[in-house]
């Protein structure tokens, strides 16, 4: 994707723009020219197998390491020329919590307020608001080492929000969490975006990307293998179909005869025909049924899921799982 011109207002429309980012460690190429455009106020998910370069991309865009080549703007600021302005506009939460377990949750928050040079009065106000927002008031006076994994992750994000960032990088934010805590984290992410924050999410949980992301990119061998909405990515993979189910055996037989070579389920009175699930193709099927005087009692669209996309684009050499890259 070409990097948008800043004169067209992309500094406000896009939270992150990157063009041809490259990074190598020795003779190992980690990022091989990736380009991204992430609209402000959205959730962007970067998927990829172990070693694909997801964490390296986050480290570059959050100024933790320098790229070997390419250009990027984050929150409207040039990544290379204005790193301090980028840092002031972002928050970063890794898959391993930055919470200090030796002090209380409240003390962690106040320490973060000091790092952001807030006055003591303002720091206490912000800390109290965020502890309440993340349902940590009762645990605020307890050592963070006593917190559950989900509580630590909520505290970690609350600490990140002390600086009121416009963009948050969440690197594997729900790794190791139980299903309830993971769903709680999803709700937190939705609320952040509803408040105008842009979320850059890396994950190996495909359900998580499907559930949260406005746009998804699949990173493989240091390159963007595909990008788009979840639905657009699913349509890249063959296997989509439309299932027509009938209650009238005569209507079923007529449809089967008229359609010709389709998959039949005589017991369920159902027919299955290939389809990419697009609106145009569905309209064509419905128009054909109407013109033939055939009325199906049920029409369902089945498309490949993100698991299918992931394995097709990455060669199926690595399964989504909890791991350190």
């Amino acid at each position: 994707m070409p990097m948008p011109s800043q004169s067209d207002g992309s500094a406000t429309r896009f939270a992150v723009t990157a063009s041809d980012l490259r990074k190598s460690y020795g003779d190992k190429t980690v990022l091989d020219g990736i380009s991204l455009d992430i609209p402000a106020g959205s959730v962007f998910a970067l998927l990829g197998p172990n070693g694909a370069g997801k964490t390296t991309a986050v480290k570059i865009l959050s100024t933790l390491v320098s790229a070997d080549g390419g250009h990027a703007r984050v929150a409207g600021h040039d990544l290379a020329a204005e790193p301090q302005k980028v840092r002031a506009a972002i928050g970063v939460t890794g898959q391993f919590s930055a919470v200090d377990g030796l002090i209380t949750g409240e003390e962690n928050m106040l320490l973060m307020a000091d790092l952001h040079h807030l006055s003591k009065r303002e720091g206490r106000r912000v800390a109290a608001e965020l502890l309440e927002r993340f349902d940590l008031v009762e645990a605020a006076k307890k050592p963070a080492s006593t917190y559950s994994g989900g509580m630590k992750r909520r505290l970690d994000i609350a600490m990140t929000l002390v600086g009121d960032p416009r963009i948050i990088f969440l690197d594997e934010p729900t790794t190791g969490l139980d299903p309830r805590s993971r769903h709680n984290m999803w709700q937190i992410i939705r609320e952040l975006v509803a408040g105008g924050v842009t979320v850059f999410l890396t994950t190996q949980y495909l359900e998580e990307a499907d559930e949260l992301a406005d746009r998804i990119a699949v990173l493989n061998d240091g390159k963007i293998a595909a990008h788009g909405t979840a639905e657009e990515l699913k349509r890249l993979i063959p296997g989509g179909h439309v299932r027509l189910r009938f209650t009238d055996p005569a209507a079923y037989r007529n449809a089967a005869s008229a359609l010709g070579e389709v998959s039949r389920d005589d017991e369920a009175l159902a027919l299955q025909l290939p389809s990419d699930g697009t609106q145009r193709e569905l309209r064509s099927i419905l128009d054909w049924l109407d013109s033939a005087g055939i009325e199906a009692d049920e029409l369902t669209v089945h498309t490949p899921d993100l698991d299918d996309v992931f394995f097709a684009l990455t060669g199926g050499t690595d399964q989504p799982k909890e791991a350190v890259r």
Side-chain angles (χ1 to χ4, degrees):
M1 286 179 292
M3 185 172 176
S5 166
Q6 294 304 311
S7 62
D8 65 5
S10 63
T12 54
R13 291 190 297 111
F14 292 99
V16 176
T17 61
S19 177
D20 200 31
L21 288 183
R22 299 177 179 274
K23 184 66 179 179
S24 297
Y25 292 100
D27 59 358
K28 169 66 174 176
T29 299
V30 182
L31 294 180
D32 192 11
I34 70 167
S35 298
L36 302 168
D37 290 322
I38 303 174
S42 67
V43 179
F44 171 81
L46 188 61
L47 297 180
N50 293 339
K54 301 188 299 297
T55 295
T56 299
V58 169
K59 286 181 176 180
I60 289 173
L61 293 172
S62 58
T63 77
L64 295 176
V65 300
S66 299
D68 296 335
H71 304 277
R73 296 184 73 87
V74 177
H77 305 297
D78 185 276
L79 191 66
E82 305 171 292
Q84 293 291 353
K85 290 183 178 180
V86 170
R87 291 179 197 128
I90 67 172
V92 184
T93 299
Q95 59 173 303
F96 299 106
S97 175
V99 170
D100 186 341
L102 298 178
I103 59 178
T104 68
E106 182 181 52
E107 288 168 340
N108 270 282
M109 294 293 294
L110 294 175
L111 177 61
M112 189 60 64
D114 286 341
L115 291 174
H116 283 282
H117 308 293
L118 300 183
S119 67
K120 287 196 172 183
R121 180 177 180 180
E122 179 69 3
R124 290 191 175 279
R125 183 191 68 79
V126 171
E129 286 183 358
L130 288 170
L131 287 168
E132 182 174 0
R133 177 177 175 183
F134 288 90
D135 195 24
L136 291 167
V137 173
E138 291 185 10
K141 303 293 185 181
K142 298 176 182 177
S145 60
T146 65
Y147 288 14
S148 68
M151 291 170 66
K152 285 181 181 176
R153 205 60 55 85
R154 295 204 308 274
L155 178 59
D156 204 10
I157 292 183
M159 291 165 61
T160 300
L161 293 180
V162 168
D164 195 24
R166 293 157 55 190
I167 304 167
I168 297 181
F169 293 90
L170 299 179
D171 190 21
E172 307 269 1
T174 62
T175 293
L177 297 186
D178 61 73
R180 181 182 297 276
S181 296
R182 183 169 295 141
H183 280 267
N184 288 341
M185 188 60 62
W186 292 357
Q187 186 57 36
I188 288 170
I189 292 171
R190 292 189 187 99
E191 291 171 359
L192 290 174
V193 175
V197 173
T198 304
V199 173
F200 185 117
L201 170 75
T202 74
T203 182
Q204 289 196 52
Y205 293 115
L206 304 179
E207 178 193 7
E208 187 161 88
D210 204 355
E211 183 77 23
L212 294 173
D214 298 295
R215 297 191 68 80
I216 298 168
V218 180
L219 187 63
N220 189 48
D221 290 334
K223 295 178 178 289
I224 300 295
H227 61 90
T229 65
E231 293 307 312
E232 287 169 346
L233 291 180
K234 291 171 188 176
R235 291 187 188 124
L236 295 175
I237 309 303
H241 62 271
V242 168
R243 179 179 170 88
L244 304 173
R245 193 182 64 80
F246 301 83
T247 55
D248 181 0
Y252 167 71
R253 289 192 298 270
N254 289 339
S257 176
L259 286 170
E261 294 187 10
V262 293
S263 298
R264 297 176 54 150
D265 184 341
D266 293 338
E267 185 176 344
L269 299 182
L271 302 174
Q272 181 175 304
L273 57 154
S275 169
D276 60 9
T278 61
Q279 184 176 343
R280 176 182 296 177
E281 187 163 292
L282 290 177
R283 185 182 295 116
S284 175
I285 292 171
L286 291 171
D287 288 345
W288 178 87
L289 289 172
D290 187 54
S291 65
I294 298 171
E295 185 172 340
D297 295 279
E298 183 180 291
L299 183 151
T300 54
V301 181
H302 299 261
T303 56
D305 60 21
L306 280 184
D307 293 69
D308 300 316
V309 175
F310 185 94
F311 290 121
L313 294 175
T314 63
T317 58
D318 193 10
Q319 293 190 10
K321 57 187 175 183
E322 299 166 8
V324 185
R325 288 151 320 288

